[in-house]
Amino acid sequence: MLSDSDLVTKWSSDQVAETDTGVLDAQPASPLTEPRPLLCVRDLWRTYRRGSEEIHALAGVGLDLRPGEIVSIVGRSGSGKTTMLNQVGCLDRPSSGSILVDGTDVTRLREKDLVAFRRDHIGFIFQLFYLIPTLTVEENIRLPLVFARRQDDERVDELIERVGLTKERRSLPKQLDGGAMQRVAIARALINRPRILLADEPTGRLEKKSRAAVLDIFRELATDGLAILMATHDLEQAGEADRIIEFSDGKVVRETQNRRK
Amino acid sequence: MNFFRFALKNLFAHRTRTLLTLVSMTVAVAVLFTLLSFNRGYERGLKEQLQAMGIHMLVVPVGCPYEAASLIIKGGKIPNFLPGSALDEVRALPQVDIAAPSLMSGIVRPEEGRTDIYLGIDSTTLELKNWWKLKGRFFEKPNEMILGYDVTLIELSHVGDQIYVPELDMTFDVVGELEPTGTEDDGFFYVPLETAQEMFLRLEGDSGAASVAGIDRLTAVSIRLKNPDDAPVVTPRLSEIKGAEVITMGELLGTMMSLMGSAKTLLLSIVMIIIVISALGVLNTVLMSVFERTKEIGVMRATGASELHVFSLVWLETVILSLLGGAGGLGLAVVGARAIEGVVKRFLPLAPKGSVVALEPASFLLVLAFVLGIGLVAGFYPALRAARAKPIEALRSE
Ligand SMILES: Nc1ncnc2c1ncn2[C@@H]1O[C@H](COP(=O)(O)OP(=O)(O)OP(=O)(O)O)[C@@H](O)[C@H]1O
Ligand SMILES: [Mg+2]
């Protein structure tokens, strides 16, 4: 486990490296052309009660996410990263505050509308992939379509190709390595054409090469306008983002814009 | 891919567990179905048998149990007799078509472990039982004998042979033998009524019952009516005969059914217990698979599944499991009906001869509905558990 100071120093050195090489400077963004945010989080609180003790997993967080943007949330364990993603992903309800996704305040949606909203607007991936072991790669990717009662073979083919799993299409998850499994999870998260992808430690269990592959895919997807919000311990990965937001005790303590945006 | 295939795949992810659950379900259903079919077949068999007998009612001495034959086999003596005059009274009624008198008694043969049952009849029985196929001829003289089919096998005697009865020091000429009827008629020695009356009076000496009715006595008069619908009119008239009791075929059926009723109840309750246990097995299997899949279910929720989706999926799995077990059980029952029948028959008294397992579509549907019901009930709780699980809790537990 990294200490707080490790985190900051290491992360800054990554940034320096980036600036030095200038590899990611390709798309300079101007404030004028910046699109309207897809996601606006304002003064968000999530309080858990453990006996008489109150834990403020989120204590007044604000955050914007624009189409095509990749934002990393960093912070040590327990700082509220997962809690934040769960609120945005409509998997949990905040204690107070607002979350506007594409103009809709999801905190006000009724449970049954929330299911459909989540399905159509948000994709989720996790550190442990959570593929269904009995289903093939293709079936895993298709599963959200089954819930949505949609038929979209084109999208299935397109995504399989995009995440580079054409050959593994009929394989079972257990026949794949971690990187491939995460790529299946990405395709599954995107099958219903959401505009926001939430990723909780997406590369936490991957080796270096697979990690890079996942990040490449993220970058490509962002170019097409997908907004990606990821929580990570992986500082190299955090450095790949357009913006880095540091959480501590449920609050945003620092926000850093990488130079290319 | 659809929901159904998904549910199937989930079930077959744990082959052994699913298979074991299926086996218990299959056995339970097979037994249930056989019992049901047996019950229906038994009832039908009895009815058909009685129908075929063409006998609409029976006049017997007061207090004579219907199961006279089994009483005699067990070494008992029929306590009462009808006087010969009863026959005339029966025949006097205009609605009566045929009235056939009979006298039944037995000779115990302890060293051979059996009792030979003698039935004294006259030619009216031949008219009544017009389905009898007689090889040889009917009696023309006293001391002639006709053998039931089973008796020809036991005695190894046939038309033209003689049978000696040491207890009475009498020799009978076998003049006829019956082809198999599939009823208890197969097990009797038939002699002329007068011969029977005389020989059993001799056998008993002047003890008890014999002296009451004298030589001219009967144990039953079987009656065929010109029109079976007249039974309600005829019954009270027959009851007026002194010392007589009337048994209609409907009553007879009822008596026989209730005789096996208690045995049936016992069997049924055992089957119910088996079924409850196998339902618990189904519940356990599905519940375990729900627990194991906590994370998967959480992720399904995160990728667009509603509570209803999760509920339906788990419920569907249970129902599929139950229906597969049900179908397997029905298959097993059909294939193994004969074997199971043998076992079940041993538990029930008075089982008719021949096959009594009736594989009726109604029982099929009943059992399937029952199994479906079990699946729905057993699946409800696990499905609810799965649907109610909060996705973040599911995903948090590492
Ligand atoms: N359901 C819950 N009930 C009680 N406390 C909770 C619950 N979920 C989260 N917490 C608490 O909220 C705080 C934030 O947790 P969270 O999981 O968001 O942290 P995190 O930044 O994702 O940590 P990690 O890096 O270890 O994943 C922690 O103190 C945690 O114990
Ligand atoms: Mg976390």
Side-chain angles (χ1 to χ4, degrees):
Chain A
M1 188 65 42
L2 293 159
S3 75
D4 241 9
S5 54
D6 279 347
L7 201 73
V8 174
T9 40
K10 228 182 142 210
W11 161 28
S12 344
S13 63
D14 283 350
Q15 263 190 306
V16 172
E18 251 167 52
T19 318
D20 283 352
T21 55
V23 172
L24 296 171
D25 284 5
Q27 302 170 282
S30 97
L32 283 175
T33 58
E34 210 152 78
R36 195 167 68 93
L38 252 182
L39 171 70
C40 291
V41 177
R42 294 290 175 268
D43 194 26
L44 197 67
W45 291 73
R46 178 64 169 102
T47 307
Y48 291 114
R49 235 170 260 281
R50 209 179 270 147
S52 57
E53 195 189 0
E54 284 197 338
I55 301 164
H56 299 295
L58 295 176
V61 174
L63 181 156
D64 283 352
L65 184 67
R66 292 180 182 75
E69 199 178 25
I70 302 178
V71 172
S72 289
I73 302 176
V74 297
R76 68 165 163 203
S77 186
S79 58
K81 305 183 293 292
T82 298
T83 308
M84 178 70 185
L85 293 184
N86 286 341
Q87 311 303 311
V88 174
C90 312
L91 287 179
D92 189 21
R93 288 187 182 266
S95 308
S96 71
S98 68
I99 305 169
L100 285 149
V101 176
D102 215 0
T104 306
D105 188 349
V106 297
T107 61
R108 299 190 177 198
L109 287 180
R110 282 176 308 167
E111 193 60 41
K112 114 176 181 288
D113 301 321
L114 212 54
V115 173
F117 192 87
R118 177 166 66 215
R119 186 185 69 204
D120 295 337
H121 292 81
I122 291 164
F124 234 125
I125 64 174
F126 305 87
Q127 181 174 11
L128 293 175
F129 330 123
Y130 298 140
L131 302 181
I132 312 285
T134 46
L135 300 183
T136 63
V137 165
E138 182 184 336
E139 287 167 335
N140 263 290
I141 293 172
R142 236 176 234 283
L143 192 57
L145 284 175
V146 175
F147 297 132
R149 293 178 186 282
R150 279 185 200 134
Q151 188 72 34
D152 198 343
D153 294 340
E154 257 172 63
R155 180 72 173 163
V156 175
D157 295 340
E158 176 199 329
L159 280 170
I160 287 179
E161 195 174 325
R162 181 150 217 178
V163 298
L165 289 168
T166 316
K167 268 193 289 190
E168 291 85 355
R169 201 178 172 118
R170 309 217 182 285
S171 309
L172 287 172
K174 61 168 182 253
Q175 298 168 291
L176 306 178
D177 63 23
M181 286 202 239
Q182 193 60 296
R183 284 181 281 141
V184 176
I186 293 172
R188 175 177 66 184
L190 298 177
I191 192 74
N192 278 316
R193 304 170 193 269
R195 298 184 64 195
I196 299 176
L197 179 66
L198 304 174
D200 198 352
E201 315 259 5
T203 59
R205 287 290 174 97
L206 303 184
E207 28 141 1
K208 205 161 172 158
K209 218 177 105 203
S210 308
R211 221 180 289 174
V214 167
L215 288 179
D216 283 346
I217 292 173
F218 278 7
R219 181 54 58 202
E220 237 181 84
L221 292 167
T223 312
D224 292 349
L226 186 72
I228 300 174
L229 184 61
M230 63 177 167
T232 182
H233 273 118
D234 176 357
L235 300 165
E236 203 176 318
Q237 174 163 23
E240 291 276 326
D242 303 311
R243 246 182 323 135
I244 301 163
I245 296 176
E246 190 187 342
F247 272 37
S248 178
D249 290 334
K251 294 191 195 67
V252 176
V253 293
R254 190 201 311 241
E255 188 164 342
T256 315
Q257 189 91 28
N258 269 341
R259 269 191 42 219
R260 63 199 144 84
K261 275 248 157 168
Chain B
M1 196 184 53
N2 55 34
F3 243 70
F4 185 74
R5 264 196 70 192
F6 188 27
L8 272 185
K9 286 197 166 200
N10 287 333
L11 283 174
F12 284 97
H14 291 282
R15 254 164 267 247
T16 319
R17 196 163 69 195
T18 302
L19 216 70
L20 283 177
T21 314
L22 274 180
V23 167
S24 75
M25 196 77 188
T26 298
V27 170
V29 167
V31 175
L32 174 71
F33 180 68
T34 310
L35 205 67
L36 258 175
S37 306
F38 185 89
N39 194 30
R40 280 168 192 267
Y42 186 90
E43 226 176 293
R44 207 182 59 186
L46 279 181
K47 263 190 201 135
E48 273 170 7
Q49 202 171 315
L50 291 171
Q51 224 35 240
M53 275 156 68
I55 298 174
H56 299 132
M57 45 188 62
L58 218 55
V59 175
V60 295
V62 176
C64 171
Y66 164 74
E67 325 85 81
S70 58
L71 191 78
I72 291 170
I73 289 175
K74 287 172 190 130
K77 289 261 183 294
I78 295 179
N80 289 312
F81 293 92
L82 283 172
S85 58
L87 179 62
D88 303 327
E89 290 182 61
V90 172
R91 287 191 171 145
L93 292 173
Q95 293 92 339
V96 173
D97 184 16
I98 302 171
S102 58
L103 175 69
M104 181 187 277
S105 192
I107 296 178
V108 188
R109 294 263 155 78
E111 66 281 8
E112 282 155 65
R114 60 165 216 256
T115 300
D116 292 341
I117 300 177
Y118 285 76
L119 197 64
I121 56 173
D122 66 12
S123 60
T124 49
T125 297
L126 210 55
E127 271 178 72
L128 195 70
K129 305 199 172 187
N130 50 17
W131 63 92
W132 270 9
K133 294 202 181 70
L134 183 63
K135 271 193 287 184
R137 60 172 174 80
F138 199 70
F139 318 120
E140 285 164 2
K141 304 194 290 266
N143 292 17
E144 287 183 337
M145 187 180 264
I146 294 171
L147 303 179
Y149 179 71
D150 291 349
V151 176
T152 62
L153 300 181
I154 295 166
E155 292 285 317
L156 295 172
S157 300
H158 295 282
V159 176
D161 294 344
Q162 290 199 323
I163 288 181
Y164 177 68
V165 182
E167 290 84 349
L168 295 160
D169 189 23
M170 284 173 82
T171 304
F172 290 90
D173 293 319
V174 178
V175 296
E177 50 183 283
L178 290 180
E179 285 183 23
T181 61
T183 66
E184 54 185 21
D185 290 353
D186 292 349
F188 298 143
F189 293 78
Y190 298 92
V191 294
L193 183 61
E194 295 78 19
T195 307
Q197 286 169 337
E198 192 193 324
M199 64 190 259
F200 286 108
L201 197 61
R202 263 213 289 143
L203 201 62
E204 287 158 21
D206 19 48
S207 70
S211 51
V212 176
I215 184 168
D216 190 14
R217 56 188 187 160
L218 304 169
T219 47
V221 179
S222 310
I223 298 167
R224 182 189 294 164
L225 299 175
K226 288 174 181 145
N227 178 359
D229 300 338
D230 287 338
V233 188
V234 177
T235 308
R237 300 287 306 278
L238 291 175
S239 308
E240 288 166 15
I241 299 173
K242 210 161 146 275
E245 193 170 345
V246 185
I247 299 175
T248 61
M249 284 305 140
E251 282 169 9
L252 209 56
L253 194 65
T255 317
M256 293 174 77
M257 293 310 286
S258 74
L259 257 173
M260 62 165 243
S262 51
K264 208 175 66 187
T265 311
L266 182 70
L267 267 185
L268 260 180
S269 31
I270 294 172
V271 172
M272 283 303 157
I273 292 169
I274 298 175
I275 297 236
V276 167
I277 290 172
S278 67
L280 287 176
V282 169
L283 188 133
N284 182 51
T285 301
V286 177
L287 201 58
M288 261 167 77
S289 86
V290 164
F291 287 151
E292 278 167 15
R293 286 184 290 160
T294 307
K295 293 253 161 44
E296 285 174 35
I297 290 170
V299 107
M300 271 156 52
R301 295 294 304 282
T303 54
S306 63
E307 285 187 19
L308 190 64
H309 282 132
V310 174
F311 184 90
S312 328
L313 183 69
V314 175
W315 221 17
L316 189 63
E317 284 175 28
T318 327
V319 170
I320 291 175
L321 195 60
S322 308
L323 285 184
L324 279 180
L330 291 177
L332 182 69
V334 170
V335 174
R338 295 287 157 270
I340 301 173
E341 178 181 352
V343 176
V344 176
K345 246 180 160 177
R346 224 176 288 160
F347 286 93
L348 296 175
L350 292 178
K353 292 188 155 206
S355 174
V356 289
V357 173
L359 304 174
E360 289 176 3
S363 333
F364 264 99
L365 292 180
L366 192 73
V367 169
L368 273 185
F370 185 76
V371 157
L372 185 69
I374 284 195
L376 291 177
V377 171
F380 193 82
Y381 176 67
L384 203 66
R385 282 286 298 246
R388 282 287 162 82
K390 293 235 176 309
I392 53 161
E393 300 296 336
L395 294 171
R396 236 166 68 93
S397 54
E398 291 277 296

